Amino acid sequence: MEQQETAILIATAVLVVLVILILTLFWVFQRRKNSLLLQQKEAEKKFERAIAETQIEIREETLRNISWELHDNIGQLLTLAKIQVDVAKEDPKRLPEVTETITKSLTELRALSKLINPDAIKSLSLTEAIALEVERFNRLQFIEATLSSNTEVRALDDKAEIIIFRILQEFFSNTIKHSKASKLNVNVRYDQEKLVIDAKDDGVGFDMKDLKSKKKTGIGLCNMQNRGKLINAEVSLNSAKGKGTAINLMYYYKKIETEEEDNL
């Protein structure tokens, strides 16, 4: 009888210990789960803030571009047209020059309207948006720019496109403002698993050791790599003094995009 009672007590104690252990493990699991969910939500909020900030920066860059074009390009053309009109009053044979200048002004205004109209920009693919930037550089004679791309154009996640486009905008801005380059070459390639973008200028370049210094972070070089991490894109920069600067960006298509294609 005593042995039976002892066995019951031991079994009860073991059962209590197991229950306590299970409850403890469940509590630890729930706590860990809640912590991971909280981290995930914080990461999502951080990503959304980064997207919002990037969209604002793109709009600000667009407004700066519009300001430059209005002042440095269209404004000068209209001023020239006014002078030509005054000359043509005395010499009517010069009227074709006025017509040519006004026609060119209208062409520039149409090109500028693409930058102003947000719906037009949204409807563009990433390659088309880059092409607009390259076209603008050449039109305003900022730099001699070229763009090459393979025939396949793959639709990307909208947020990824925003980040990629802003990374390239920063590189282009650095090239035009700081590199003293005369040429800029951009290549966009859609591979089976990833998007690869290479851009290179022939500017003064810089020592790669300076990339981590505070002086260089001020012009956004490290910022491009940080933006790439937001969408798991690999961004690498390569430069040497007197040999220009190059950027390589690789973005692997999201798994969900592949699954959607397989289901079609």
Side-chain angles (χ1 to χ4, degrees), residues 107-195:
T107 301
E108 298 297 331
L109 281 172
R110 291 191 186 98
L112 186 59
S113 69
K114 294 180 181 179
L115 289 174
I116 297 174
N117 187 351
D119 292 330
I121 293 294
K122 288 179 182 178
S123 66
L124 298 175
S125 69
L126 176 63
T127 305
E128 290 170 331
I130 297 171
L132 274 182
E133 290 287 277
V134 169
E135 179 187 326
R136 184 174 63 85
F137 298 154
N138 289 322
R139 190 173 65 251
L140 298 181
Q141 298 181 343
F142 286 158
I143 195 170
E144 183 183 335
T146 60
L147 170 64
S148 57
S149 174
N150 60 348
T151 54
E152 179 185 358
V153 176
R154 180 163 179 156
L156 305 178
D157 176 77
D158 289 342
K159 294 177 180 179
E161 281 195 344
I162 289 171
I163 293 293
I164 293 171
F165 184 65
R166 183 55 187 156
I167 290 172
L168 293 174
Q169 268 194 332
E170 288 192 43
F171 181 80
F172 296 157
S173 179
N174 289 334
T175 292
I176 291 171
K177 293 179 180 177
H178 306 288
S179 74
K180 300 179 182 178
S182 60
K183 293 183 180 180
L184 170 67
N185 300 313
V186 185
N187 177 264
V188 180
R189 187 175 74 253
Y190 292 86
D191 289 342
Q192 186 174 356
E193 296 180 350
K194 63 184 181 297
L195 166 69

Coordinates of all heavy atoms in Angstrom, one line a residue, residues 107-195:
T107 N 9.2 71.8 -77.7 CA 9.7 70.4 -77.5 C 10.3 70.2 -76.1 O 10.0 69.1 -75.5 CB 10.8 70.1 -78.5 OG1 10.3 70.3 -79.9 CG2 11.4 68.7 -78.4
E108 N 11.0 71.2 -75.6 CA 11.5 71.1 -74.3 C 10.4 71.1 -73.2 O 10.5 70.3 -72.2 CB 12.5 72.3 -74.0 CG 13.7 72.3 -74.9 CD 14.6 71.1 -74.7 OE1 14.6 70.5 -73.6 OE2 15.3 70.7 -75.7
L109 N 9.4 71.8 -73.4 CA 8.2 71.9 -72.5 C 7.5 70.5 -72.5 O 7.1 70.1 -71.4 CB 7.3 73.0 -72.9 CG 7.6 74.4 -72.5 CD1 6.7 75.4 -73.1 CD2 7.6 74.5 -71.0
R110 N 7.4 69.9 -73.6 CA 6.7 68.6 -73.6 C 7.6 67.5 -72.9 O 7.0 66.7 -72.2 CB 6.6 68.1 -75.1 CG 5.5 68.9 -75.9 CD 5.2 68.3 -77.2 NE 4.3 69.1 -78.0 CZ 4.7 69.9 -79.0 NH1 6.0 70.0 -79.3 NH2 3.9 70.6 -79.7
A111 N 8.9 67.6 -73.1 CA 9.8 66.7 -72.3 C 9.7 67.0 -70.8 O 9.7 66.0 -70.0 CB 11.2 66.9 -72.8
L112 N 9.6 68.2 -70.5 CA 9.5 68.6 -69.1 C 8.2 68.1 -68.4 O 8.2 67.8 -67.3 CB 9.6 70.1 -68.9 CG 9.7 70.7 -67.5 CD1 10.9 70.1 -66.8 CD2 9.8 72.2 -67.6
S113 N 7.1 68.1 -69.2 CA 5.8 67.7 -68.7 C 5.8 66.3 -68.2 O 5.1 65.9 -67.4 CB 4.7 67.9 -69.8 OG 4.9 67.0 -70.8
K114 N 6.7 65.4 -68.8 CA 6.9 64.1 -68.4 C 7.4 64.0 -66.9 O 7.0 63.1 -66.2 CB 7.8 63.3 -69.3 CG 7.3 63.1 -70.7 CD 8.3 62.3 -71.5 CE 7.8 62.2 -73.0 NZ 8.8 61.4 -73.8
L115 N 8.2 64.9 -66.6 CA 8.7 65.0 -65.2 C 7.7 65.5 -64.2 O 7.6 65.1 -63.1 CB 10.0 65.9 -65.1 CG 11.2 65.3 -65.8 CD1 12.3 66.4 -65.7 CD2 11.7 64.1 -65.1
I116 N 6.8 66.4 -64.7 CA 5.8 67.0 -63.8 C 4.7 66.1 -63.6 O 4.1 66.1 -62.4 CB 5.3 68.3 -64.5 CG1 6.5 69.3 -64.6 CG2 4.2 69.0 -63.6 CD1 6.1 70.6 -65.4
N117 N 4.3 65.3 -64.6 CA 3.1 64.5 -64.4 C 3.4 63.2 -63.7 O 4.1 62.3 -64.2 CB 2.6 64.1 -65.8 CG 1.2 63.4 -65.8 OD1 0.8 63.0 -64.7 ND2 0.6 63.2 -66.9
P118 N 2.9 63.0 -62.4 CA 3.3 61.8 -61.7 C 2.7 60.6 -62.3 O 3.3 59.5 -62.2 CB 2.7 62.1 -60.3 CG 1.6 63.1 -60.5 CD 2.1 64.0 -61.7
D119 N 1.5 60.7 -62.9 CA 0.9 59.5 -63.5 C 1.7 59.0 -64.7 O 1.8 57.7 -64.9 CB -0.5 59.8 -64.0 CG -1.5 60.1 -62.9 OD1 -1.3 59.5 -61.8 OD2 -2.4 60.9 -63.1
A120 N 2.3 59.9 -65.4 CA 3.2 59.5 -66.5 C 4.4 58.7 -66.0 O 4.9 57.7 -66.6 CB 3.6 60.7 -67.3
I121 N 5.0 59.2 -64.9 CA 6.2 58.6 -64.3 C 5.8 57.2 -63.8 O 6.6 56.2 -64.0 CB 6.8 59.5 -63.2 CG1 7.3 60.8 -63.7 CG2 7.8 58.7 -62.4 CD1 8.5 60.6 -64.6
K122 N 4.7 57.1 -63.1 CA 4.3 55.8 -62.6 C 4.1 54.7 -63.6 O 4.2 53.5 -63.4 CB 3.0 56.0 -61.8 CG 3.2 56.7 -60.4 CD 1.8 56.8 -59.7 CE 2.0 57.6 -58.4 NZ 0.7 57.8 -57.7
S123 N 3.7 55.2 -64.8 CA 3.4 54.2 -65.9 C 4.6 53.7 -66.6 O 4.6 52.8 -67.4 CB 2.4 54.9 -66.9 OG 3.1 55.9 -67.6
L124 N 5.8 54.3 -66.3 CA 7.0 54.0 -66.9 C 7.7 52.8 -66.2 O 7.5 52.6 -65.0 CB 8.0 55.1 -66.9 CG 7.6 56.4 -67.6 CD1 8.7 57.5 -67.3 CD2 7.5 56.2 -69.1
S125 N 8.4 52.0 -67.0 CA 9.2 50.9 -66.4 C 10.5 51.5 -65.9 O 10.8 52.7 -66.2 CB 9.5 49.9 -67.5 OG 10.4 50.4 -68.4
L126 N 11.2 50.8 -65.1 CA 12.5 51.3 -64.5 C 13.4 51.7 -65.6 O 14.0 52.8 -65.6 CB 13.1 50.2 -63.7 CG 14.5 50.6 -63.1 CD1 14.4 51.8 -62.1 CD2 15.1 49.4 -62.4
T127 N 13.5 50.9 -66.7 CA 14.4 51.3 -67.8 C 14.0 52.5 -68.5 O 14.8 53.4 -68.9 CB 14.4 50.1 -68.8 OG1 14.8 48.9 -68.2 CG2 15.4 50.4 -69.9
E128 N 12.7 52.7 -68.7 CA 12.2 54.0 -69.3 C 12.4 55.2 -68.4 O 12.8 56.3 -68.9 CB 10.7 53.8 -69.6 CG 10.3 52.8 -70.7 CD 8.8 52.5 -70.8 OE1 8.1 52.6 -69.7 OE2 8.4 52.2 -71.9
A129 N 12.3 55.0 -67.1 CA 12.6 56.1 -66.2 C 14.1 56.5 -66.3 O 14.4 57.7 -66.3 CB 12.2 55.8 -64.8
I130 N 14.9 55.5 -66.3 CA 16.4 55.8 -66.5 C 16.7 56.4 -67.8 O 17.5 57.4 -67.9 CB 17.2 54.5 -66.3 CG1 17.0 53.8 -65.0 CG2 18.7 54.7 -66.6 CD1 17.6 52.4 -64.8
A131 N 16.0 56.0 -68.9 CA 16.1 56.6 -70.2 C 15.8 58.1 -70.2 O 16.5 58.9 -70.8 CB 15.3 55.8 -71.2
L132 N 14.8 58.5 -69.4 CA 14.4 59.9 -69.3 C 15.5 60.7 -68.7 O 15.8 61.8 -69.1 CB 13.1 60.0 -68.5 CG 11.8 59.9 -69.2 CD1 10.6 60.1 -68.2 CD2 11.7 60.8 -70.4
E133 N 16.1 60.1 -67.6 CA 17.2 60.8 -67.0 C 18.4 61.0 -68.0 O 19.0 62.1 -68.1 CB 17.7 60.0 -65.8 CG 16.8 60.0 -64.6 CD 16.7 61.3 -63.9 OE1 17.6 61.6 -63.0 OE2 15.8 62.1 -64.2
V134 N 18.8 59.9 -68.7 CA 19.9 60.0 -69.7 C 19.6 61.0 -70.8 O 20.4 61.8 -71.2 CB 20.1 58.6 -70.3 CG1 21.1 58.6 -71.4 CG2 20.7 57.6 -69.2
E135 N 18.3 61.0 -71.2 CA 17.9 61.9 -72.3 C 18.0 63.3 -71.8 O 18.5 64.2 -72.5 CB 16.5 61.6 -72.7 CG 15.9 62.5 -73.7 CD 14.4 62.3 -73.9 OE1 14.0 61.2 -73.8 OE2 13.7 63.3 -74.2
R136 N 17.7 63.6 -70.5 CA 17.7 64.9 -70.0 C 19.2 65.4 -69.9 O 19.5 66.5 -70.2 CB 17.1 65.0 -68.6 CG 17.0 66.3 -68.0 CD 16.2 66.3 -66.7 NE 16.8 65.4 -65.7 CZ 17.8 65.8 -64.9 NH1 18.2 67.1 -64.9 NH2 18.3 65.0 -64.0
F137 N 20.1 64.5 -69.4 CA 21.5 64.8 -69.3 C 22.1 65.3 -70.7 O 22.8 66.3 -70.8 CB 22.3 63.7 -68.8 CG 21.9 63.2 -67.4 CD1 22.2 61.9 -67.0 CD2 21.3 64.0 -66.5 CE1 21.8 61.4 -65.8 CE2 21.0 63.6 -65.2 CZ 21.2 62.3 -64.9
N138 N 21.7 64.6 -71.7 CA 22.2 64.9 -73.0 C 21.6 66.2 -73.6 O 22.2 67.0 -74.2 CB 21.9 63.7 -74.0 CG 22.8 62.5 -73.7 OD1 24.0 62.7 -73.4 ND2 22.2 61.3 -73.9
R139 N 20.3 66.3 -73.3 CA 19.6 67.5 -73.8 C 20.1 68.8 -73.2 O 20.3 69.8 -73.9 CB 18.1 67.4 -73.5 CG 17.2 68.4 -74.2 CD 15.7 68.1 -74.1 NE 15.3 68.2 -72.7 CZ 14.9 67.2 -71.9 NH1 15.0 66.0 -72.4 NH2 14.5 67.4 -70.7
L140 N 20.4 68.7 -71.9 CA 20.9 69.9 -71.2 C 22.4 70.0 -71.3 O 23.0 70.9 -70.7 CB 20.5 69.9 -69.7 CG 19.0 69.9 -69.5 CD1 18.7 69.9 -68.0 CD2 18.4 71.2 -70.2
Q141 N 23.1 69.0 -71.9 CA 24.5 69.0 -72.1 C 25.3 69.0 -70.8 O 26.3 69.5 -70.7 CB 25.0 70.2 -73.0 CG 24.4 70.1 -74.4 CD 24.8 71.3 -75.2 OE1 25.3 72.3 -74.8 NE2 24.7 71.2 -76.6
F142 N 24.6 68.3 -69.8 CA 25.3 68.1 -68.5 C 26.5 67.1 -68.7 O 27.6 67.3 -68.2 CB 24.4 67.5 -67.5 CG 23.4 68.4 -66.9 CD1 22.2 67.9 -66.4 CD2 23.6 69.8 -67.0 CE1 21.3 68.8 -65.8 CE2 22.6 70.7 -66.5 CZ 21.5 70.2 -65.9
I143 N 26.3 66.1 -69.5 CA 27.3 65.0 -69.7 C 26.8 64.2 -71.0 O 25.7 64.2 -71.3 CB 27.4 64.1 -68.5 CG1 28.6 63.3 -68.5 CG2 26.2 63.3 -68.3 CD1 28.9 62.6 -67.2
E144 N 27.8 63.6 -71.6 CA 27.4 62.7 -72.7 C 27.1 61.3 -72.2 O 28.0 60.6 -71.7 CB 28.6 62.6 -73.7 CG 28.3 61.7 -74.9 CD 29.5 61.6 -75.8 OE1 30.4 62.4 -75.8 OE2 29.6 60.5 -76.5
A145 N 25.8 61.0 -72.2 CA 25.3 59.8 -71.5 C 24.7 58.8 -72.5 O 24.1 59.2 -73.5 CB 24.3 60.1 -70.5
T146 N 25.0 57.5 -72.2 CA 24.4 56.5 -73.1 C 23.7 55.4 -72.2 O 24.1 55.2 -71.1 CB 25.5 55.8 -73.9 OG1 26.5 55.2 -73.0 CG2 26.2 56.8 -74.8
L147 N 22.7 54.8 -72.8 CA 22.0 53.7 -72.0 C 21.8 52.5 -73.0 O 21.4 52.7 -74.1 CB 20.6 54.2 -71.6 CG 19.6 53.2 -71.0 CD1 20.2 52.6 -69.7 CD2 18.2 53.8 -70.8
S148 N 22.2 51.4 -72.5 CA 21.9 50.1 -73.2 C 21.1 49.2 -72.3 O 21.3 49.2 -71.1 CB 23.3 49.5 -73.6 OG 24.1 49.2 -72.5
S149 N 20.3 48.3 -73.0 CA 19.5 47.4 -72.2 C 19.1 46.2 -73.1 O 19.0 46.3 -74.3 CB 18.2 48.1 -71.7 OG 17.3 47.2 -71.1
N150 N 19.0 45.0 -72.5 CA 18.5 43.9 -73.2 C 17.0 44.0 -73.5 O 16.4 44.8 -72.9 CB 18.9 42.6 -72.5 CG 18.3 42.4 -71.2 OD1 17.7 43.4 -70.6 ND2 18.3 41.2 -70.6
T151 N 16.5 43.2 -74.4 CA 15.1 43.4 -74.8 C 14.1 43.0 -73.8 O 13.0 43.5 -73.7 CB 14.9 42.5 -76.1 OG1 15.2 41.1 -75.8 CG2 15.7 43.0 -77.3
E152 N 14.5 42.1 -72.9 CA 13.5 41.7 -71.8 C 13.4 42.8 -70.8 O 14.4 43.2 -70.2 CB 14.0 40.4 -71.2 CG 13.0 39.9 -70.1 CD 13.5 38.7 -69.3 OE1 14.6 38.2 -69.7 OE2 12.9 38.2 -68.4
V153 N 12.2 43.2 -70.5 CA 12.0 44.1 -69.4 C 11.0 43.4 -68.4 O 9.8 43.1 -68.8 CB 11.4 45.4 -69.9 CG1 11.0 46.3 -68.8 CG2 12.4 46.1 -70.9
R154 N 11.4 43.2 -67.2 CA 10.6 42.5 -66.3 C 10.0 43.5 -65.3 O 10.7 44.4 -64.8 CB 11.5 41.5 -65.5 CG 10.7 40.7 -64.5 CD 11.4 39.4 -64.1 NE 10.7 38.7 -63.1 CZ 10.9 37.4 -62.9 NH1 11.8 36.7 -63.6 NH2 10.3 36.8 -61.9
A155 N 8.7 43.3 -65.0 CA 8.0 44.2 -64.0 C 8.5 43.8 -62.6 O 8.5 42.7 -62.2 CB 6.5 43.9 -64.1
L156 N 8.9 44.8 -61.9 CA 9.5 44.6 -60.6 C 8.5 45.2 -59.5 O 7.5 45.9 -59.8 CB 10.8 45.4 -60.4 CG 11.9 45.1 -61.4 CD1 13.1 46.0 -61.1 CD2 12.3 43.6 -61.4
D157 N 8.7 44.8 -58.3 CA 7.9 45.4 -57.2 C 8.1 46.9 -57.2 O 9.2 47.4 -57.3 CB 8.5 44.8 -55.9 CG 7.8 45.4 -54.7 OD1 6.6 45.0 -54.4 OD2 8.4 46.3 -54.0
D158 N 6.9 47.6 -57.1 CA 7.0 49.1 -57.1 C 7.9 49.7 -56.1 O 8.7 50.6 -56.5 CB 5.5 49.6 -56.9 CG 4.6 49.3 -58.0 OD1 5.1 49.0 -59.1 OD2 3.4 49.4 -57.8
K159 N 8.0 49.2 -54.9 CA 8.8 49.7 -53.9 C 10.3 49.5 -54.2 O 11.1 50.3 -54.0 CB 8.5 49.2 -52.5 CG 7.1 49.6 -52.1 CD 6.7 49.0 -50.7 CE 5.3 49.5 -50.3 NZ 4.9 48.9 -49.0
A160 N 10.6 48.3 -54.8 CA 11.9 48.0 -55.2 C 12.4 49.0 -56.3 O 13.5 49.5 -56.3 CB 12.1 46.6 -55.6
E161 N 11.5 49.2 -57.3 CA 11.8 50.1 -58.4 C 12.1 51.5 -57.8 O 13.0 52.2 -58.3 CB 10.6 50.2 -59.3 CG 10.6 49.0 -60.3 CD 9.7 49.3 -61.5 OE1 8.9 50.2 -61.4 OE2 9.8 48.5 -62.5
I162 N 11.3 52.0 -56.8 CA 11.6 53.3 -56.2 C 13.0 53.4 -55.6 O 13.7 54.3 -55.9 CB 10.5 53.6 -55.2 CG1 9.1 53.8 -55.8 CG2 10.9 54.8 -54.3 CD1 8.0 53.9 -54.8
I163 N 13.3 52.4 -54.9 CA 14.7 52.3 -54.2 C 15.8 52.3 -55.3 O 16.7 53.0 -55.2 CB 14.8 51.1 -53.3 CG1 13.8 51.3 -52.1 CG2 16.2 51.0 -52.8 CD1 14.1 52.4 -51.1
I164 N 15.6 51.4 -56.3 CA 16.7 51.3 -57.3 C 16.8 52.6 -58.1 O 18.0 53.0 -58.3 CB 16.3 50.1 -58.3 CG1 16.4 48.8 -57.5 CG2 17.3 50.1 -59.5 CD1 15.9 47.6 -58.3
F165 N 15.7 53.2 -58.4 CA 15.8 54.4 -59.2 C 16.5 55.5 -58.4 O 17.3 56.3 -58.9 CB 14.4 54.9 -59.6 CG 14.3 56.1 -60.5 CD1 14.9 56.1 -61.8 CD2 13.8 57.3 -60.0 CE1 14.9 57.2 -62.6 CE2 13.8 58.4 -60.9 CZ 14.3 58.4 -62.1
R166 N 16.2 55.6 -57.1 CA 16.8 56.6 -56.3 C 18.3 56.4 -56.1 O 19.1 57.3 -56.1 CB 16.1 56.7 -54.9 CG 16.6 57.8 -54.0 CD 16.6 59.1 -54.6 NE 17.3 60.1 -53.8 CZ 17.8 61.3 -54.3 NH1 17.7 61.5 -55.5 NH2 18.4 62.1 -53.5
I167 N 18.7 55.1 -56.0 CA 20.1 54.8 -55.9 C 20.8 55.3 -57.1 O 21.9 55.9 -57.1 CB 20.3 53.3 -55.8 CG1 19.9 52.8 -54.4 CG2 21.8 52.9 -56.0 CD1 19.9 51.3 -54.2
L168 N 20.2 55.0 -58.3 CA 20.9 55.5 -59.6 C 20.8 57.0 -59.7 O 21.8 57.6 -60.1 CB 20.1 54.9 -60.7 CG 20.3 53.4 -60.9 CD1 19.4 52.8 -62.0 CD2 21.7 53.0 -61.1
Q169 N 19.8 57.6 -59.2 CA 19.7 59.1 -59.2 C 20.9 59.7 -58.4 O 21.5 60.7 -58.8 CB 18.4 59.6 -58.6 CG 17.3 59.8 -59.7 CD 16.1 60.6 -59.1 OE1 15.8 60.6 -57.9 NE2 15.5 61.3 -60.0
E170 N 21.1 59.1 -57.2 CA 22.2 59.6 -56.4 C 23.6 59.4 -57.1 O 24.4 60.3 -57.0 CB 22.2 58.8 -55.0 CG 21.1 59.2 -54.1 CD 21.3 58.6 -52.7 OE1 22.4 58.7 -52.2 OE2 20.3 58.2 -52.1
F171 N 23.7 58.3 -57.7 CA 25.0 58.1 -58.5 C 25.1 59.1 -59.6 O 26.2 59.7 -59.8 CB 25.0 56.6 -59.0 CG 26.3 56.3 -59.8 CD1 27.5 56.0 -59.1 CD2 26.3 56.4 -61.2 CE1 28.7 55.8 -59.8 CE2 27.5 56.2 -61.9 CZ 28.7 55.8 -61.2
F172 N 24.0 59.3 -60.4 CA 24.1 60.3 -61.5 C 24.4 61.7 -60.9 O 25.1 62.4 -61.5 CB 22.7 60.3 -62.2 CG 22.4 59.0 -62.9 CD1 21.1 58.7 -63.2 CD2 23.4 58.1 -63.2 CE1 20.7 57.5 -63.8 CE2 23.1 56.9 -63.9 CZ 21.7 56.6 -64.2
S173 N 23.7 62.0 -59.8 CA 23.9 63.3 -59.2 C 25.4 63.5 -58.8 O 26.0 64.6 -59.0 CB 23.0 63.5 -58.0 OG 23.2 64.8 -57.4
N174 N 26.0 62.5 -58.2 CA 27.4 62.6 -57.8 C 28.3 62.7 -59.0 O 29.3 63.5 -59.0 CB 27.8 61.3 -57.0 CG 27.2 61.3 -55.6 OD1 26.8 62.3 -55.0 ND2 27.0 60.1 -55.1
T175 N 27.9 62.0 -60.1 CA 28.7 62.1 -61.3 C 28.7 63.5 -61.9 O 29.8 64.0 -62.2 CB 28.2 61.1 -62.4 OG1 28.4 59.7 -61.9 CG2 28.9 61.3 -63.7
I176 N 27.5 64.1 -62.0 CA 27.4 65.4 -62.6 C 28.0 66.5 -61.7 O 28.6 67.4 -62.2 CB 25.9 65.7 -62.9 CG1 25.5 64.8 -64.0 CG2 25.7 67.1 -63.3 CD1 24.0 64.8 -64.3
K177 N 27.8 66.4 -60.4 CA 28.2 67.4 -59.5 C 29.7 67.4 -59.1 O 30.3 68.4 -58.8 CB 27.3 67.4 -58.2 CG 25.9 67.8 -58.5 CD 25.1 67.7 -57.2 CE 23.6 68.1 -57.4 NZ 22.9 68.0 -56.1
H178 N 30.2 66.1 -58.9 CA 31.5 66.0 -58.3 C 32.6 65.3 -59.2 O 33.8 65.5 -58.9 CB 31.4 65.2 -57.0 CG 30.4 65.7 -56.0 ND1 30.6 66.9 -55.3 CD2 29.1 65.3 -55.7 CE1 29.5 67.1 -54.5 NE2 28.6 66.1 -54.8
S179 N 32.2 64.6 -60.2 CA 33.2 63.7 -60.8 C 34.0 64.4 -61.9 O 35.1 64.0 -62.3 CB 32.5 62.5 -61.5 OG 31.8 62.9 -62.6
K180 N 33.5 65.6 -62.4 CA 34.1 66.3 -63.6 C 34.2 65.3 -64.8 O 35.1 65.5 -65.6 CB 35.5 66.8 -63.2 CG 35.4 67.8 -62.0 CD 36.8 68.3 -61.7 CE 36.8 69.3 -60.5 NZ 38.2 69.7 -60.1
A181 N 33.2 64.4 -64.9 CA 33.2 63.5 -66.0 C 32.6 64.1 -67.3 O 31.8 65.0 -67.2 CB 32.4 62.2 -65.6
S182 N 33.0 63.5 -68.4 CA 32.5 64.0 -69.7 C 31.6 62.9 -70.3 O 30.7 63.2 -71.1 CB 33.6 64.3 -70.7 OG 34.4 63.1 -70.9
K183 N 31.7 61.7 -69.8 CA 30.9 60.6 -70.3 C 30.3 59.7 -69.1 O 30.9 59.5 -68.1 CB 31.7 59.7 -71.2 CG 32.1 60.4 -72.5 CD 32.9 59.4 -73.4 CE 33.3 60.1 -74.7 NZ 34.0 59.2 -75.6
L184 N 29.1 59.2 -69.4 CA 28.4 58.3 -68.4 C 27.8 57.2 -69.2 O 27.0 57.5 -70.2 CB 27.4 59.1 -67.6 CG 26.4 58.2 -66.8 CD1 27.2 57.6 -65.6 CD2 25.3 59.1 -66.2
N185 N 28.1 56.0 -68.9 CA 27.5 54.8 -69.6 C 26.7 54.0 -68.6 O 27.2 53.7 -67.5 CB 28.6 53.9 -70.2 CG 29.5 54.7 -71.2 OD1 28.9 55.4 -72.1 ND2 30.8 54.6 -71.1
V186 N 25.5 53.7 -69.0 CA 24.6 52.9 -68.1 C 24.1 51.6 -68.9 O 23.7 51.7 -70.1 CB 23.4 53.7 -67.7 CG1 22.5 52.9 -66.7 CG2 23.8 55.1 -67.1
N187 N 24.2 50.5 -68.3 CA 23.7 49.3 -68.9 C 22.7 48.6 -67.9 O 23.0 48.4 -66.7 CB 24.9 48.3 -69.2 CG 24.4 47.0 -69.7 OD1 24.2 46.0 -69.0 ND2 24.1 46.9 -71.0
V188 N 21.5 48.3 -68.4 CA 20.5 47.6 -67.7 C 20.3 46.2 -68.3 O 20.0 46.1 -69.5 CB 19.2 48.4 -67.7 CG1 18.1 47.7 -66.9 CG2 19.4 49.8 -67.1
R189 N 20.4 45.2 -67.5 CA 20.3 43.8 -68.0 C 19.3 43.0 -67.1 O 19.5 42.8 -65.9 CB 21.6 43.1 -68.0 CG 21.6 41.7 -68.7 CD 23.0 41.2 -68.9 NE 23.6 40.7 -67.7 CZ 24.5 41.2 -67.0 NH1 25.0 42.4 -67.4 NH2 25.0 40.7 -65.9
Y190 N 18.3 42.4 -67.7 CA 17.3 41.6 -67.0 C 17.7 40.1 -67.3 O 17.5 39.6 -68.3 CB 15.9 41.8 -67.5 CG 15.4 43.2 -67.1 CD1 15.6 44.3 -67.9 CD2 14.6 43.4 -65.9 CE1 15.1 45.5 -67.5 CE2 14.1 44.6 -65.6 CZ 14.3 45.7 -66.4 OH 13.9 46.9 -66.1
D191 N 18.4 39.5 -66.3 CA 18.7 38.1 -66.4 C 17.5 37.2 -65.9 O 16.5 37.8 -65.5 CB 19.9 37.8 -65.5 CG 21.2 38.4 -66.1 OD1 21.2 38.7 -67.3 OD2 22.2 38.5 -65.4
Q192 N 17.7 35.9 -65.9 CA 16.6 35.0 -65.5 C 16.2 35.2 -64.1 O 15.1 35.1 -63.7 CB 17.0 33.6 -65.9 CG 15.8 32.6 -65.6 CD 16.2 31.2 -66.1 OE1 17.2 31.0 -66.6 NE2 15.3 30.3 -65.8
E193 N 17.2 35.4 -63.2 CA 17.0 35.4 -61.8 C 17.2 36.8 -61.2 O 16.7 37.0 -60.0 CB 17.9 34.4 -61.1 CG 17.7 33.0 -61.5 CD 18.6 32.0 -60.7 OE1 19.6 32.6 -60.1 OE2 18.4 30.8 -60.8
K194 N 17.8 37.7 -61.9 CA 18.1 39.0 -61.3 C 18.2 40.1 -62.3 O 18.4 39.9 -63.5 CB 19.5 38.9 -60.5 CG 20.7 38.6 -61.4 CD 21.9 38.4 -60.5 CE 23.1 38.1 -61.4 NZ 23.1 36.9 -62.1
L195 N 18.1 41.3 -61.8 CA 18.3 42.5 -62.5 C 19.7 43.0 -62.2 O 20.1 43.1 -61.1 CB 17.3 43.6 -62.1 CG 17.6 45.0 -62.6 CD1 17.4 45.1 -64.1 CD2 16.6 46.0 -61.9

